[in-house]
Amino acid sequence: MIPLKITKRDDLPRNKAILIRTLSVALSIVFAGFIIALLGYNPITIFTSMVKGALGTPIRIQQTTLKAIPLVITSLGILVAFKMKFWNIGGEGQIMMGAFAASAVALNFDLPRPLMLLSMGVAAMVMGGLWAFIPAFFKAKMGTNETIFTLMLNYLAIKFVTYLQYGPWKDPASQGFPKIATFSNDAILPSIGGVHMGWIIALILVVLVYVFLNHTKKGYEISVVGESIETARYAGMNISSVIIISMLLSGGLCGLTGMIQASAVEKTLSASLSANYGFTAIITTWLAGLNAIATLFVCIAFAILVQGGNYIQISMQVPASVADMIQAIILFFVLGSEFFLQYKVQFHKYIKVKKEAK
């Protein structure tokens, strides 16, 4: 009999953690390659084409960067909440409501470009923060389940924007097509290096969030509440205040993503604007180990994976299902490695000895 024993690790050396993650990536590529070969494709050709499709030319790098920007900023927002073990699944809704607030400013005010963009950004962060404040308030005061609460708010936000798109905000000049009017040039983010300046905003936010969580009193309180509410209460921390402040910040960052997508990518407001970034950011946040610096690199890697998957669909006529499957296999292995980082699996052999009756 060989029983399986699973025990929680007390502390894992950094070199072993790196080894486990490296092995998970290597195994995911091998397994994905095996599946690709079974489907009749050349694995080496597929993988090299994915890399070329994401990084092969300046234009492809720009496309990869465009996918990484909203993912980085949204992941930072999710990270702040997750650091406190507040499971904010509402990134999609906070992105949409941030885009809504930014669009309200863009469509109703005539301001100089710097002031217009600043006003849109502030409005988006405030609205995203307020949308996140709703579940935070009920969690702090009534102990409600934030996972279900934030998830349901996603659909409410999306349906609200859909209503605006098909109803009161529908552009009369769209000839019956359900479309909101395009923003003026003053409401569109300028480009720097061939990509809108959202990439600069993302890099600045990575540094700011890292400093906030690791080198400020409020960031320390968020970490303590996440580790143990009882310890935080014993230390005299205001638990409700920490929950609400962290969620205002979390929702504000997600709302800023909405503003950037509406201004620089869509150039208007649409119900499909969030593009599942709120859900994808949950994965990238976990893969980054709730570390702001690591989040940047994980999101870039994920953007490469997505852009490469899109490329092989077009250039090699690979079905979308195959590209999605490759992404899913790689994510499955990488996420699965987190189990082995947290737990130790041991096999113990027991020899059963029968006592002879005397």
Side-chain angles (χ1 to χ4, degrees):
M1 181 179 181
I2 306 178
L4 185 67
K5 184 180 179 182
I6 300 175
T7 57
K8 188 170 179 61
R9 295 183 186 272
D10 294 327
D11 189 21
L12 184 66
R14 184 178 181 84
N15 59 338
K16 286 189 176 181
I18 294 174
L19 178 62
I20 290 174
R21 286 196 170 98
T22 303
L23 284 174
S24 69
V25 173
L27 286 173
S28 70
I29 293 174
V30 171
F31 190 77
F34 176 72
I35 299 298
I36 291 170
L38 287 179
L39 294 173
Y41 299 98
N42 186 322
I44 297 176
T45 303
I46 291 289
F47 286 127
T48 54
S49 296
M50 289 181 71
V51 174
K52 290 179 181 178
L55 304 172
T57 66
I59 293 178
R60 293 171 190 169
I61 293 175
Q62 290 172 11
Q63 290 300 312
T64 302
T65 304
L66 287 174
K67 290 177 173 61
I69 291 169
L71 198 52
V72 170
I73 300 175
T74 306
S75 297
L76 292 174
I78 299 298
L79 187 156
V80 173
F82 278 17
K83 195 77 171 178
M84 190 188 58
K85 288 186 169 58
F86 187 105
W87 310 120
N88 180 15
I89 315 298
E92 287 284 297
Q94 292 147 26
I95 291 172
M96 293 302 299
M97 295 309 291
F100 154 71
S103 300
V105 174
L107 296 173
N108 293 287
F109 295 93
D110 185 13
L111 301 170
R113 192 175 199 179
L115 185 57
M116 173 68 84
L117 293 174
L118 179 62
S119 300
M120 290 171 65
V122 171
M125 293 190 72
V126 170
M127 192 66 212
L130 289 175
W131 201 248
F133 169 79
I134 299 172
F137 175 81
F138 282 95
K139 173 71 173 181
K141 301 300 182 182
M142 303 179 187
T144 57
N145 186 307
E146 72 274 14
T147 303
I148 297 175
F149 210 135
T150 53
L151 181 63
M152 293 299 101
L153 284 176
N154 287 334
Y155 302 107
L156 183 59
I158 293 171
K159 293 302 180 182
F160 174 65
V161 172
T162 302
Y163 162 72
L164 293 177
Q165 183 176 336
Y166 282 78
W169 281 19
K170 181 179 176 181
D171 185 10
S174 64
Q175 299 180 346
F177 187 76
K179 180 183 179 299
I180 296 172
T182 303
F183 294 168
S184 66
N185 288 333
D186 290 334
I188 296 175
L189 281 173
S191 295
I192 299 177
V195 182
H196 65 77
M197 65 178 294
W199 67 272
I200 295 179
I201 298 173
L203 292 177
I204 292 173
L205 287 174
V206 167
V207 176
L208 291 178
V209 171
Y210 177 82
V211 172
F212 171 75
L213 290 176
N214 295 280
H215 299 286
T216 67
K217 179 184 176 183
K218 189 59 66 177
Y220 173 73
E221 289 179 350
I222 290 174
S223 298
V224 173
V225 171
E227 291 295 327
S228 172
I229 290 181
E230 293 304 320
T231 301
R233 186 176 288 112
Y234 180 79
M237 297 179 186
N238 188 330
I239 309 299
S240 297
S241 174
V242 173
I243 291 174
I244 290 173
I245 289 174
S246 64
M247 279 303 291
L248 284 172
L249 179 58
S250 176
L253 289 171
C254 292
L256 182 61
T257 300
M259 175 267 174
I260 292 173
Q261 290 301 101
S263 172
V265 179
E266 301 290 338
K267 297 178 176 56
T268 186
L269 177 65
S270 70
S272 60
L273 177 142
S274 58
N276 288 324
Y277 285 118
F279 293 123
T280 306
I282 297 171
I283 299 173
T284 53
T285 301
W286 272 117
L287 289 177
L290 303 184
N291 180 285
I293 304 298
T295 296
L296 173 65
F297 297 102
V298 170
C299 290
I300 291 174
F302 196 88
I304 291 172
L305 190 62
V306 172
Q307 175 61 23
N310 292 341
Y311 176 78
I312 62 174
Q313 292 178 45
I314 299 172
S315 65
M316 302 180 65
Q317 301 301 307
V318 173
S321 57
V322 174
D324 291 340
M325 185 177 61
I326 294 171
Q327 297 170 20
I329 290 171
I330 293 174
L331 285 174
F332 176 80
F333 273 83
V334 176
L335 286 171
S337 70
E338 294 297 314
F339 172 82
F340 296 97
L341 293 173
Q342 299 294 326
Y343 297 93
K344 183 190 297 184
V345 180
Q346 295 174 307
F347 294 93
H348 291 279
K349 292 183 178 180
Y350 293 90
I351 301 176
K352 188 175 181 180
V353 179
K354 292 183 178 181
K355 293 183 179 180
E356 294 183 358
K358 292 182 180 180

